[in-house]
Amino acid sequence: MSNELRWNPILGTWVIVSSKRESRPWREEKCPFCPGTPETGYGWDVLVLDNRFPALRPDARTSVESRDIYRVEPGYGYCKVVIESPEHEGDLDTIPIENLRKYLRILGEETAKLCRDKEICYVIPFRNKGELIGVSLTHPHSQIYALPFIPPRINIELRNAREFYKEHNECLFCHILGFEEKEGKRVLYRNKLFTSFLPFFAMWPYEVHIYPRKHVLHLSDLDSGGIEYLADILRVTVSMYNRLFDFSLPYIMIFHQAPCRGNYNYYHLHIEFYPVHRARDKLKYPAGIEWGAWVFTYDDLPENKVAELRYALQKAVEYLRDRGYSPMGRIISWYTYLGGGTLTSRYS
Ligand code: ZN
Ligand code: ZN
Ligand code: FE
């Protein structure tokens, strides 16, 4: 059994290669995340487990040696699974709110813990939901990868944020947030500490980003208030997605935080959602131009998609209230947008 990193000298990126991962189970008879299995036991509400079929592991061995320009390194790292509820069905808008808060605290604690390993450079929690995204287990769960390198997408974000900071002496993310809030056209929901919006430069039709309005770098920097308001906006966002077409919408949710160590004060924690639908019955397939060139095409105006998401948000707020949860923030209504009102006038 081997877990290794193979260097792509043309793209300058690592590929994680593991020999035995293919044999991992695809939809087992009995759910391994439900309480009462040898791994899960009983008496928990949120549970962290080691991935049984990790792509990275601390005792990783390579299958070959480096030779010529082909570099090989052990696939050192950790792959964790976070089970968000003992209930077999659910999403972040239906699990108890206490679970959601605890889940976020755990992601922060795990990040801090994994970063204490000097070999680990970057910790990335994410949630894949839905069979369309290739999720083999439907029990609500997320994953955490602790990587021995900074991933390329993060490197690009870091580089641009550093350049912007050097030029303007301001955080790029704080600036984007300020501008989105001033324009108000793409802002969706806002509570005391967080704002969600569909970015001006969205790549996925219903892509949504969530930024803390305070400049923080890691999940572990959030205090109990930060956790409470992040749980709120995640709950509302996921509920919005599930109301959009009135079915449980598949999505990828990813936490972008600063690397484990080093001075990255110009970076800013944020969450990105990539749903794969472009309409109720149509998917956005990343195909030739997306994969072959890393250029995304967007087949509508993002501002039009905002109107759809705001409508779904109204339904989401009602849905959550009916189930006993009162959202802590407010929708940035389409009336605000149509009336040309800016957020600064309403929310200063
Ligand atoms: Zn289950
Ligand atoms: Zn910032
Ligand atoms: Fe990002």
Side-chain angles (χ1 to χ4, degrees):
M1 164 132 192
S2 64
N3 296 73
E4 63 199 26
L5 305 177
R6 295 190 180 192
W7 181 249
N8 176 335
I10 302 168
L11 293 178
T13 58
W14 292 106
V15 181
I16 303 174
V17 178
S18 41
S19 63
K20 278 288 188 308
R21 239 173 94 77
E22 266 312 303
S23 62
R24 74 189 197 276
W26 181 254
R27 294 180 192 136
E28 295 163 277
E29 292 289 294
K30 192 177 181 311
C31 173
F33 295 164
C34 272
T37 72
E39 275 176 294
T40 56
Y42 292 100
W44 50 271
D45 43 11
V46 181
L47 187 65
V48 184
L49 293 177
D50 290 321
N51 191 315
R52 288 188 295 165
F53 303 92
L56 300 160
R57 52 196 303 155
D59 57 352
R61 285 205 309 260
T62 61
S63 71
V64 285
E65 302 278 289
S66 296
R67 65 229 184 267
D68 201 295
I69 53 163
Y70 285 163
R71 269 170 78 196
V72 182
E73 295 283 341
Y76 184 92
Y78 304 88
C79 295
K80 303 270 182 190
V81 173
V82 186
I83 308 171
E84 296 143 3
S85 160
E87 296 290 328
H88 184 69
E89 299 289 336
D91 198 348
L92 299 185
D93 60 338
T94 56
I95 63 171
I97 189 71
E98 297 75 31
N99 283 49
L100 185 49
R101 291 173 187 150
K102 185 166 178 184
Y103 157 75
L104 293 170
R105 272 200 304 277
I106 285 175
L107 294 186
E109 287 162 11
E110 286 294 317
T111 299
K113 200 164 82 189
L114 292 162
C115 277
R116 263 177 248 133
D117 182 329
K118 292 284 175 289
E119 304 286 315
I120 296 302
C121 299
Y122 197 78
V123 176
I124 185 154
F126 58 93
R127 186 174 206 277
N128 296 334
K129 178 199 148 193
E131 297 188 16
L132 276 171
I133 298 177
V135 178
S136 48
L137 291 161
T138 52
H139 195 119
H141 70 283
S142 297
Q143 301 186 58
I144 304 174
Y145 272 41
L147 301 165
F149 57 88
I150 298 174
R153 183 166 184 146
I154 302 303
N155 263 328
I156 294 171
E157 291 195 3
L158 290 169
R159 191 180 66 214
N160 288 312
R162 186 167 53 234
E163 291 298 310
F164 188 88
Y165 193 88
K166 260 199 280 184
E167 213 171 303
H168 304 278
N169 203 27
E170 187 192 2
C171 163
L172 173 61
F173 300 89
C174 287
H175 188 87
I176 288 173
L177 187 57
F179 188 73
E180 287 289 355
E181 294 211 325
K182 199 168 80 187
E183 272 208 328
K185 286 185 183 179
R186 287 165 300 273
V187 177
L188 295 164
Y189 179 82
R190 194 180 196 271
N191 65 29
K192 195 174 133 205
L193 301 177
F194 292 83
T195 299
S196 66
F197 59 100
L198 192 154
F200 177 73
F201 47 81
M203 297 194 281
W204 297 88
Y206 296 100
E207 182 167 338
V208 166
H209 291 195
I210 295 174
Y211 286 14
R213 286 204 299 284
K214 238 171 73 183
H215 182 79
V216 292
L217 275 63
H218 294 101
L219 274 166
S220 51
D221 300 335
L222 298 175
D223 59 14
S224 61
I227 294 289
E228 206 178 325
Y229 283 96
L230 179 54
D232 177 73
I233 201 164
L234 288 179
R235 194 171 194 71
V236 169
T237 303
V238 167
S239 189
M240 169 187 78
Y241 280 143
N242 291 339
R243 305 283 92 66
L244 180 61
F245 302 124
D246 291 313
F247 60 77
S248 188
L249 193 78
Y251 60 78
I252 295 161
M253 174 181 88
I254 190 121
F255 291 85
H256 281 169
Q257 44 186 346
C260 286
R261 61 194 69 78
N263 181 12
Y264 294 101
N265 216 7
Y266 48 80
Y267 199 64
H268 190 127
L269 169 74
H270 57 281
I271 295 114
E272 302 186 5
F273 279 89
Y274 320 135
V276 294
H277 280 79
R278 62 186 168 89
R280 179 185 296 275
D281 52 358
K282 292 193 193 78
L283 298 181
K284 166 80 185 170
Y285 287 105
I289 193 70
E290 288 85 4
W291 275 120
W294 289 350
V295 175
F296 268 72
T297 57
Y298 196 100
D299 307 321
D300 194 353
L301 288 177
E303 290 74 18
N304 293 340
K305 294 290 184 205
V306 170
E308 290 176 52
L309 286 177
R310 282 178 177 154
Y311 184 66
L313 259 178
Q314 312 266 11
K315 294 204 281 181
V317 167
E318 282 163 36
Y319 174 90
L320 291 171
R321 281 202 185 121
D322 284 350
R323 275 150 194 80
Y325 180 78
S326 284
M328 299 159 83
R330 55 194 298 188
I331 302 168
I332 306 311
S333 81
W334 37 356
Y335 304 113
T336 321
Y337 171 37
L338 292 173
T342 61
L343 287 180
T344 26
S345 62
R346 288 189 62 189
Y347 293 92
S348 43

